[in-house]
Amino acid sequence: MTSPNTNVKEIVAEFLFVLCKENPGRLVKYTGYGNAAGLLARRGLMTLGKGHGDYSSDEDSDTETYTRVIDKINPVTGRVEENKPSPLEGMSEEQKEYEAHQLAQLCVKLSREGIIKPMQVGPDGKMVSLEESFSQMSLPPDPNADSEEDT
């Protein structure tokens, strides 16, 4: 799913999706969200809806090995990782707030420079830019607008 050869990547993703009974949740569970995101986006299944297909009803297919390490699986990469200490441990609330503010400022800067493009999942399950979403929104009328004209 991470091969630079797009044909191989797509065929492997489709094969794994079928092995997971076209269940996006199961695909994410076994491969990690980062690995599954491309296939899910192509199919419009980013909201983790159910695919189409007739499969056996065996929903609980966790192996003994999987259930033993389920708490150590990184949901993005799908890899088993040892628990790491929290980077926030030992920080005061003010320090945490400062770091969060710095992170937000960096994200805004990257967005302004066009390096990243904030997105969200649209009603159809496909990714839509936030700018596009905001432009389609209509704001409710301002109740104070009429009272200002009267004075």
Side-chain angles (χ1 to χ4, degrees), residues 117-120 124 126-137:
K117 187 175 185 177
M119 306 285 278
Q120 73 177 24
D124 59 352
K126 296 189 178 183
M127 298 302 291
V128 180
S129 75
L130 284 179
E131 288 176 1
E132 197 175 309
S133 293
F134 289 146
S135 67
Q136 294 173 355
M137 284 183 174

Side-chain angles (χ1 to χ4, degrees), residues 17 20-25 43 45 48-55:
F17 192 54
C20 292
K21 301 178 184 179
E22 293 188 23
N23 182 328
R43 287 179 161 241
L45 297 171
L48 300 180
K50 191 98 163 129
H52 307 292
D54 296 325
Y55 298 100

